[in-house]
Amino acid sequence: MKDVAQHAGVSTATVSRVLNGHAAPTPETRERVLAAIEELGYRPNALARSLRTTSTQTLGLVISDLLNPFFAEIARAVEDEARSHGYCVVIGNADESAEQEATYVRTLLDRRVDGLLLCPATDDPSLVREVSAGGVPLVLLDRTVRGATCPVVRADGSEALTALARRLVGAGHTRIGVIAGPPNTSTGRERTDVLTAALGGVAQVVHGDFRQESGSQAAAKLIDDGATALVVMDNLMGLGALGEIRARGLQIPHDIALAVFDDQPWFPLLDPPITVIAQPTVEMGRAAARSLLALINGQQPDDVRLTAKLVLRGSCGEAEL
Amino acid sequence: MKDVAQHAGVSTATVSRVLNGHAAPTPETRERVLAAIEELGYRPNALARSLRTTSTQTLGLVISDLLNPFFAEIARAVEDEARSHGYCVVIGNADESAEQEATYVRTLLDRRVDGLLLCPATDDPSLVREVSAGGVPLVLLDRTVRGATCPVVRADGSEALTALARRLVGAGHTRIGVIAGPPNTSTGRERTDVLTAALGGVAQVVHGDFRQESGSQAAAKLIDDGATALVVMDNLMGLGALGEIRARGLQIPHDIALAVFDDQPWFPLLDPPITVIAQPTVEMGRAAARSLLALINGQQPDDVRLTAKLVLRGSCGEAEL
DNA sequence: GATCCATGTGTAATCGATTAACTACGCCCT
DNA sequence: AGGGCGTAGTTAATCGATTACACATGGATC
């Protein structure tokens, strides 16, 4: 920057003013400075700028698993929304591990992100408290924690789950296997509670860990126990369950019915296409980014609760009803 | 930091030494400092540190599309490898747009990443030159550019493509549709060249843009033109092609054979399972990160060329051979 | 012509760390 | 006792920007 100033025959203050579009500099000074910048190929050092202004124009996003298309879509939406407001997004991968999540959150705070978007791996509120104590704007996404004091953005699947339960019971299923998320995540618990309540006792629940492998294992156990329908609470576990069903040569929906929480672009391609509860991922990501930006600007955004929708495609024997 | 120093009755220099594990401080001084840090909940400001040391311990990764599981896997692998060496990764989404790619690259350079991993959207070398001119370590991933002067990490699909071509021709296909990537990407061109050469004239090529929608359109066109086999050069376009095939009620492989470049976890679940050319994505990501770290440490890593493998599953009528 | 204001630019402090150069304090040896 | 030396710790410069404040210039006003 000093070089630019010298080249243009002005002080660094003036260069800075030109850079930041301040009113002061004369059009001709501005021209000279811009020419010098161009000539020297100067690019301002964002670190120094941030150090001085205490603003990085950066949002942190900590998710549980980038390989889960659900989170990838959310990440993408967050990024789009953030960019359109001049912010960058740094993504951290917690790998469904609370420890790694904490490490990432701290790293992001050390780098002074202007705000943090978090999909908590567990419902333990201590990390959230730590962030809040540091005074960093925070929004929870998809999942919440016990006694959360910050805005939360999530999808409500209660209606869809209830409708699904009604349909399964109506179709005569009396042994319905539920492959749930970990009981220490809010989504894992809530979805399961709603569904089992709606199923009224014919449900058998096995908890997985939101990963493919646990989906296969849970499916194997439930099928062994005589389940005639499977409801899977996450798309990766759904993939695992599907694999197990195929491996056993079972026909959907004749031998076993299947429904999955989270839609995927390839679900319609299966035979039969998979019935799902689709979450508005893009809208969730965008809403979360918007809430966080509002928080950063000193506003107090409300919680956002979007609605997940039941999409019937055939894998629950819809045609037979 | 000043507060910590005061609290512990030492100077900031000493605090800094404790933080960075320098030899100097006495065990008891160290204790006092650590206690003060703990008590005040002090966390060092990474911006200030980086400004002084000109090292951010951060790698930039610019990819074309986070929603493409191929890139998501690569991103994940890069991140793992980087983290195990104490580096963070900032991911930028270029959305297959050269313009956005450039914007992201510049943003990352402004933030002084220690090195850059780039999957170039086009084979235009100007952006690469710009980065190199800035003296920032750079490694290309998956795709290369014309006259690249930096290390490149990619997968070689020539053998697999040739084997696939032999098999298709051997099965009697005389009208083989190729859904290729954009001709201005190295992977788009190279894969297509190898395949058409091996097919020896029975190929009809349509270029897509590595997105699902373009896959459907290309498939529609090729099927209309009487293709009895489709080779798709990317998994997202493969998804589109599959959709089109299903929409027309065609049976794989009886009515049309299909093979896709890039494996996906759900390909084996289709009926019949899809034959693919699988790229070693994880190894690519790790190798790229390793090369970049080597470059940062002043070494001169070689190009890495991994091998993509043909995985026969049935969608090309393998059983009938 | 002196006074005052507006306007454009420069000077220097500052953000929060790192680190070279220096000081102070013992300890040992002759 | 005094000189030399190693060690623990301090002082202050520095990284590259922003910005409050000071200053200079020129035109308007009386």
Side-chain angles (χ1 to χ4, degrees):
Chain A
M1 182 157 156
K2 241 184 288 180
D3 295 347
V4 173
Q6 207 159 11
H7 220 78
V10 298
S11 74
T12 61
T14 303
V15 175
S16 172
R17 288 191 187 108
V18 170
L19 247 48
N20 295 292
H22 275 246
T26 274
E28 59 184 292
T29 322
R30 169 181 308 265
E31 277 315 309
R32 268 215 321 284
V33 172
L34 289 177
I37 287 177
E38 178 72 22
E39 185 167 348
L40 299 177
Y42 164 79
R43 303 238 76 207
N45 183 321
L47 295 176
R49 188 206 296 266
S50 294
L51 177 60
R52 187 62 241 256
T53 60
T54 66
S55 142
T56 50
Q57 297 294 101
T58 302
L59 305 180
L61 169 64
V62 177
I63 57 179
S64 344
D65 184 3
L66 240 194
L67 291 186
N68 187 330
F70 170 68
F71 288 114
E73 261 177 64
I74 285 195
R76 178 60 202 283
V78 167
E79 213 219 332
D80 278 353
E81 186 70 25
R83 184 175 40 232
S84 80
H85 289 83
Y87 280 76
C88 254
V89 177
V90 180
I91 303 172
N93 227 100
D95 219 0
E96 296 283 359
S97 133
E99 200 182 333
Q100 208 161 111
E101 174 180 283
T103 315
Y104 244 117
V105 166
R106 294 202 188 97
T107 307
L108 291 173
L109 294 185
D110 286 354
R111 290 168 189 239
R112 299 302 190 263
V113 290
D114 292 343
L116 200 59
L117 246 29
L118 179 62
C119 308
T122 76
D123 56 5
D124 179 349
S126 55
L127 188 61
V128 168
R129 291 228 187 83
E130 188 180 325
V131 176
S132 305
V136 177
L138 172 68
V139 171
L140 298 183
L141 183 45
D142 180 47
R143 309 176 186 169
T144 184
V145 301
R146 294 191 305 271
T149 55
C150 54
V152 181
V153 174
R154 53 184 155 167
D156 183 353
S158 309
E159 251 179 73
L161 283 167
T162 310
L164 176 63
R166 215 166 14 233
R167 203 161 257 274
L168 287 173
V169 171
H173 290 283
T174 54
R175 282 168 161 262
I176 299 177
V178 178
I179 304 183
N184 64 347
T185 63
S186 67
T187 50
R189 218 168 344 89
E190 286 167 13
R191 291 178 195 166
T192 310
D193 289 352
V194 169
L195 182 60
T196 50
L199 285 175
V202 301
Q204 183 183 354
V205 178
V206 173
H207 287 277
D209 63 2
F210 286 139
R211 269 185 286 224
Q212 181 173 353
E213 180 57 22
S214 74
S216 326
Q217 289 169 1
K221 179 166 185 336
L222 289 166
I223 295 171
D224 285 342
D225 286 0
T228 59
L230 247 37
V231 180
V232 192
M233 290 308 188
D234 155 89
N235 76 77
L236 286 186
M237 296 194 295
L239 182 56
L242 262 165
E244 184 66 24
I245 291 172
R246 279 284 197 281
R248 294 180 176 226
L250 298 177
Q251 291 302 314
I252 301 175
H254 180 260
D255 301 325
I256 191 159
L258 178 71
V260 179
F261 209 103
D262 281 356
D263 199 6
Q264 287 299 306
W266 50 274
F267 279 160
L269 296 179
L270 293 179
D271 188 23
I274 306 297
T275 287
V276 299
I277 294 176
Q279 300 193 68
T281 47
V282 172
E283 212 22 73
M284 286 170 73
R286 300 199 97 95
R290 274 196 300 269
S291 292
L292 185 56
L293 291 169
L295 207 52
I296 290 173
N297 291 323
Q299 300 164 35
Q300 286 294 330
D302 290 327
D303 284 7
V304 177
R305 189 147 208 149
L306 300 162
T307 309
K309 290 204 177 54
L310 180 60
V311 181
L312 299 168
R313 294 211 179 102
S315 67
C316 289
E318 286 85 347
E320 302 166 16
L321 286 182
Chain B
M1 182 159 155
K2 241 185 288 180
D3 294 347
V4 173
Q6 206 159 11
H7 220 79
V10 298
S11 74
T12 61
T14 303
V15 175
S16 174
R17 289 199 184 102
V18 170
L19 247 47
N20 296 293
H22 274 246
T26 276
E28 59 183 293
T29 320
R30 170 182 307 267
E31 277 315 310
R32 268 215 321 284
V33 171
L34 290 177
I37 288 177
E38 177 72 21
E39 185 167 349
L40 298 176
Y42 164 80
R43 305 237 74 207
N45 184 322
L47 296 175
R49 187 205 299 268
S50 294
L51 177 59
R52 189 61 241 255
T53 60
T54 65
S55 142
T56 51
Q57 296 294 100
T58 302
L59 269 30
L61 169 63
V62 178
I63 58 180
S64 345
D65 184 2
L66 241 194
L67 290 186
N68 187 330
F70 170 67
F71 287 115
E73 261 177 64
I74 284 195
R76 178 60 201 285
V78 167
E79 214 218 330
D80 278 353
E81 186 71 25
R83 185 176 39 234
S84 79
H85 288 83
Y87 279 77
C88 255
V89 177
V90 180
I91 303 172
N93 226 99
D95 218 1
E96 296 284 0
S97 133
E99 200 182 333
Q100 209 162 110
E101 174 180 281
T103 315
Y104 244 117
V105 166
R106 295 202 188 97
T107 308
L108 292 173
L109 294 186
D110 287 353
R111 293 172 186 233
R112 298 303 191 261
V113 291
D114 291 343
L116 200 59
L117 247 28
L118 179 62
C119 308
T122 76
D123 55 6
D124 178 349
S126 55
L127 188 60
V128 168
R129 290 230 185 83
E130 189 180 325
V131 177
S132 305
V136 177
L138 172 67
V139 171
L140 298 183
L141 182 46
D142 181 46
R143 310 176 185 169
T144 183
V145 301
R146 294 191 306 271
T149 55
C150 54
V152 181
V153 174
R154 53 183 155 169
D156 183 354
S158 310
E159 251 179 73
L161 283 168
T162 310
L164 176 64
R166 212 163 20 229
R167 201 162 258 273
L168 287 173
V169 171
H173 289 283
T174 54
R175 281 168 163 261
I176 299 177
V178 178
I179 304 182
N184 65 346
T185 63
S186 67
T187 51
R189 220 171 341 90
E190 287 167 14
R191 290 177 196 168
T192 310
D193 289 351
V194 169
L195 182 61
T196 49
L199 285 175
V202 301
Q204 183 183 354
V205 178
V206 174
H207 286 277
D209 63 1
F210 286 139
R211 267 184 288 224
Q212 180 173 352
E213 181 56 23
S214 73
S216 326
Q217 288 170 2
K221 180 166 187 333
L222 290 166
I223 295 172
D224 285 342
D225 285 1
T228 58
L230 247 37
V231 180
V232 192
M233 290 309 188
D234 155 87
N235 76 77
L236 286 186
M237 296 193 295
L239 181 58
L242 261 166
E244 185 65 24
I245 291 172
R246 278 284 197 283
R248 294 180 177 226
L250 299 177
Q251 291 302 314
I252 302 174
H254 180 260
D255 300 325
I256 192 159
L258 178 70
V260 179
F261 209 102
D262 280 357
D263 199 6
Q264 287 300 305
W266 50 275
F267 279 159
L269 294 180
L270 293 179
D271 187 24
I274 306 297
T275 287
V276 300
I277 293 176
Q279 301 192 70
T281 47
V282 172
E283 212 21 74
M284 287 170 73
R286 300 198 96 95
R290 274 197 299 270
S291 291
L292 184 55
L293 291 169
L295 207 52
I296 291 173
N297 291 322
Q299 300 163 36
Q300 286 294 332
D302 290 328
D303 283 8
V304 175
R305 188 147 210 149
L306 300 162
T307 308
K309 289 202 178 55
L310 180 60
V311 180
L312 299 169
R313 294 212 179 101
S315 67
C316 290
E318 287 85 347
E320 303 166 15
L321 286 182

